[in-house]
């Protein structure tokens, strides 16, 4: 029932430690309740249900995406051209997993254009996350030049971030994939080992 935004921060960056917090404090409680061997009831309200919170809906879409449940992920995002940039980026990632070249290119461009229009209202890492999703999809469909542009944008958005921030490594993976598509193996390896 807690609000993750109020859990405080460690080293000035709460976002890096939410996963640890969940694994160390929330998951053990959930596992203990599940192991009770007795029926139990609970109520879930508010943000935990995803009610009225676009971020939760998009987070659930990303969970489904990582599980490979592409249809479930796509149902959770708005794919209209005027949708939020993150919805469009997630939808682009779904199209990338399906290797739908035309949709990846069109929707990816729309997502990144929308992200540029609202980037001043967002945290740079949110914008970087959109570029990572679109960049990985572009690599999947063989669009190396556009993927490399997305990777370069990620690098500029996470410049100065702690090296353990996952977006740093994800941007390098996009860059490596783009270099590989162009046949530039050395720069691909350099991106992965930098």
């Amino acid at each position: 029932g807690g609000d993750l935004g109020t859990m405080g921060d460690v080293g000035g960056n709460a976002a890096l430690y939410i996963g640890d917090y969940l694994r160390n404090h929330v998951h053990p409680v959930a596992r203990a309740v599940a192991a009770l061997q007795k029926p139990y009831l609970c109520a879930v309200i508010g943000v935990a249900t995803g009610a009225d919170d676009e971020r939760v809906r998009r987070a659930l879409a990303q969970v489904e995406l990582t599980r490979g449940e592409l249809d479930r992920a796509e149902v959770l995002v708005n794919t209209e051209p005027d949708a939020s940039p993150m919805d469009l980026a997630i939808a682009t990632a779904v199209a990338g997993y399906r290797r739908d070249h035309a949709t990846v290119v069109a929707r990816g461009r729309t997502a990144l254009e929308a992200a540029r229009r609202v980037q001043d209202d967002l945290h740079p890492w949110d914008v970087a996350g959109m570029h990572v999703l679109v960049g990985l999809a572009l690599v999947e469909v063989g669009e190396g030049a556009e993927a490399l542009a997305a990777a370069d944008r990620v690098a500029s958005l996470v410049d100065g971030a702690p090296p353990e921030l996952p977006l740093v490594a994800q941007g390098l993976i996009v860059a490596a994939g783009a270099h590989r598509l162009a046949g530039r193996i050395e720069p691909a390896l350099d991106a992965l080992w930098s």
Side-chain angles (χ1 to χ4, degrees):
D3 178 0
L4 293 178
T6 64
M7 70 177 239
D9 63 28
V10 178
N13 190 349
L16 293 176
Y17 301 96
I18 289 175
D20 290 337
Y21 175 82
L22 292 172
R23 279 186 290 281
N24 296 328
H25 301 285
V26 176
H27 294 172
V29 173
R31 285 189 194 101
V33 170
L36 284 174
Q37 302 288 323
K38 294 181 181 187
Y40 52 90
L41 297 173
C42 69
V44 180
I45 60 171
V47 174
T49 67
D52 298 325
D53 194 325
E54 297 294 306
R55 294 170 300 168
V56 172
R57 180 183 51 74
R58 286 190 288 269
L60 292 172
Q62 290 187 50
V63 168
E64 296 297 350
L65 182 65
T66 59
R67 293 177 59 215
E69 298 288 345
L70 303 181
D71 292 334
R72 289 182 181 182
E74 194 164 47
V75 166
L76 289 165
V77 294
N78 180 352
T79 58
E80 297 299 318
D82 63 344
S84 79
M86 184 55 89
D87 275 297
L88 293 170
I90 296 168
T92 301
V94 170
Y97 280 109
R98 290 187 171 139
R99 293 189 171 69
D100 181 345
H101 185 272
T103 301
V104 166
V105 172
R107 194 173 282 156
R109 287 178 182 159
T110 302
L112 297 183
E113 287 168 14
R116 277 189 284 279
R117 284 194 304 273
V118 299
Q119 69 185 4
D120 292 341
D121 299 330
L122 300 173
H123 192 284
W125 297 352
D126 291 331
V127 179
M130 294 175 217
H131 281 77
V132 164
L133 287 169
V134 172
L136 290 170
L138 289 165
V139 167
E140 283 295 322
V141 299
E143 289 291 331
E146 287 192 55
L148 189 56
D152 289 344
R153 185 73 178 120
V154 171
S156 70
L157 289 163
V158 300
D159 187 38
E164 65 269 17
L165 179 72
L167 285 169
V168 173
Q170 292 164 347
L172 295 173
I173 290 167
V174 173
H179 286 300
R180 179 190 51 81
L181 287 171
R184 297 185 303 261
I185 302 304
E186 289 300 319
L189 292 172
D190 290 343
L192 290 175
W193 301 116
S194 61

